[in-house]
Amino acid sequence: YEKLFAKIIGIAKQFKKIGKDDPRRVIHSLKVGVALTLVSLFYYFQPLYNGFGVSTMWAIMTVVVVFEFSVGATLGKGLNRGMATLLAGALGVGAHYLASASGKVVEPILLALFVFLQAFATTFIRFFPQVKARYDYGMLIFILTFCLVSISGFRVDEIVDMAHKRLSTILIGASVCVIISIFVCPVWAGEDLHKLVANNMEKLGKFLEGFGDEIFKSAEVEESKDAKKSLIEYKSVLNSKNAEETLANFARWEPGHGQFKYRHPWRQYLKIGGLIRQCACRIDALNGYINSEIKAPEEIKEKIKETSKEMSIECGKALKELSNSVRKMNLPISADEHITNAKKSAKNLNSLLKSGINNWEEINLLQVIPLATIASILTDIVICVDEIGQGVNE
Amino acid sequence: YEKLFAKIIGIAKQFKKIGKDDPRRVIHSLKVGVALTLVSLFYYFQPLYNGFGVSTMWAIMTVVVVFEFSVGATLGKGLNRGMATLLAGALGVGAHYLASASGKVVEPILLALFVFLQAFATTFIRFFPQVKARYDYGMLIFILTFCLVSISGFRVDEIVDMAHKRLSTILIGASVCVIISIFVCPVWAGEDLHKLVANNMEKLGKFLEGFGDEIFKSAEVEESKDAKKSLIEYKSVLNSKNAEETLANFARWEPGHGQFKYRHPWRQYLKIGGLIRQCACRIDALNGYINSEIKAPEEIKEKIKETSKEMSIECGKALKELSNSVRKMNLPISADEHITNAKKSAKNLNSLLKSGINNWEEINLLQVIPLATIASILTDIVICVDEIGQGVNE
């Protein structure tokens, strides 16, 4: 029993954590509850029920399936469902009419042929990447509706009546979803994408700033665990591609809201996101050196340290500024300054290494290598950050 | 008109390409067509139709929604659908009974409350990562069935009859899907995961081998475009995390097949996949140096070149061997040899750098840095490859 008890507490804790991580999840669940209850009551009350008959079922189905977390996803699914039902319904009636006009013997063969060809073609089209990203659900509904309509044993006028009822109920369901998701605490996919990109930039910026402080500390100084944790945050950036693409696809369905116009350049976010990931990859390589002890002579260490630190911190600041200006949607003027500084330090480091060699005859090349690698990767990062800056400017 | 014509040709080409890239897509589309036609004919023929009534619709729905590309996904969705319908149906009948027993006035209030609470709780549970990965579809069906059953204006005995019919038709639909997807050219998610991981390893191996050949070539030698293309292949590895996780989730639903037992350690693939991505990240950093001109004196260049080349090629070979032994599912004995070689060259490089400095007084540190960085990253890669080797051994 104790085990069970501990497990229940564990689950309860997870509940709390998931709600706390993103309170919008709780609100979303409430919204779904309200939408379903509303539609269910339509279904329950007899006058409405008598008007639409069994078709009211479709309103509930639509709400359950269409209501998604973000406005974009809900709108996209709703539009997909509506359009696909309309189109497939019309085609299905056509197929049904053709088949029943061709005589009792040919009818089932023709119907089977239509269903087969349609299912084959539509399933294949679903493999198109562009279709998969935006119209996958519509394709599914298309197959479903076409089959149901063309196969149904009803007469054409019965079908038209049924289609009318079904479309109305789907419309009711979809409208309830869309209205609630837009007007009650809306979750905009576009805004999420916007924030995700800005946050990712900030995470990298944090790492670089932290790295500048940490890397040349002597190993004796004990690092606080918190600092380490904030350094490791950048890892999540590496795998953000999928999330960004999904959000961008949803965002394209969304109407204008807040700072965003209807045709906001969401693609640009994906481009910047790609650059950020590239930068994160470099940072991952850098991270391997964070705990390596550097045994180079003090004098050299001191000199390289200064400029490396500067590069790292300037890059970090630039990224943070960029992230800020993405958030506020203004031009990143102060970030440009930091990038210029970082570039300058990179140049300094270069000339330092070039000229310094004459004074440092005693060095062991092996000892300088970690320093050199760090410097070299940092130079790469400066270039990356510069590119990100250009992306943001656009 | 010419524009339209060109567009149609473009689409036709894309059709061909998508089919050629993975011929199983064409087969899958055919399978869906056959399954739907089969079920539709059930629906069409009157004796069966009279037995099940409108419920036959559910067989078609089930086929359309459940039939997925891989066996694992189809099985997972089918089981989810079946279990969720059963469970939600039972609970729904209970709720319906409770509500109707409590009098005309309280009934709608109680029903609304049930629907609201259930929708709220289930929607929230869908946010659990473990649930989202494996039972998301079941949760959806749970909400749907519960609402439909509890709200329906029928008497309890009518509901039981309806539930019986609906469950049977869903069972028929799901069985058709599962049988066709398992016995007609099955697509196993587990096998795909297995191949994906092996392929990713091979891609990295190819890059490292190619890198060993390319990096120290003088810039004059023109590179063939093909060689460059094969080098760039590794980039796809960086973003493979999502695909791997999806496949692993599907694979867990699959029964034993071919070389795989029922409880094959799919998690191990994810672990190895993570290591491979880490390695790919290092390689991405390395890739930045592939076209950088190295101006170091010939003598040093020659020496470092030899060992670096060896490291890179040995790592590449090791990865290829590992990929092979994953494919054939045997222990990677020859890969171990290559790893040992790579480690030896890494050591050589280290001592070369340590001792060499006395002979190379004239060098410009700046010129050696790219070499040093390459060497250093390669050393990291050797460690990564070693870890991957251990992962494969497990």
Side-chain angles (χ1 to χ4, degrees), chain A residues 14-15 29 33 36 43-44 58 61 107 116 120 124 130 143 148 151 239 241 281 289 353 363 369 376, chain B residues 14-15 29 33 36 43-44 57-58 61 107 120 124 130 143 151 239 241 281 289 353 357 369 376:
Chain A
Q14 210 176 358
F15 257 99
S29 306
L36 258 182
Y43 192 46
Y44 184 79
W58 290 92
M61 256 190 199
E107 191 179 352
F116 176 78
F120 170 67
F124 192 74
Q130 310 94 305
I143 302 181
L148 287 183
I151 288 298
N239 293 314
K241 185 177 182 184
C281 213
Y289 294 95
L353 290 172
I363 53 161
I369 282 181
S376 172
Chain B
Q14 209 176 359
F15 258 98
S29 305
L36 257 182
Y43 192 47
Y44 184 79
M57 186 180 79
W58 290 92
M61 257 192 200
E107 190 180 350
F120 171 67
F124 191 74
Q130 310 95 304
I143 303 180
I151 287 298
N239 293 313
K241 183 176 183 186
C281 212
Y289 292 95
L353 291 173
I357 193 65
I369 282 181
S376 172

Side-chain angles (χ1 to χ4, degrees), chain B residues 2-13:
Chain B
E2 258 176 42
K3 236 178 177 177
L4 188 78
F5 194 65
K7 211 167 184 184
I8 289 173
I9 286 186
I11 291 175
K13 267 187 190 156

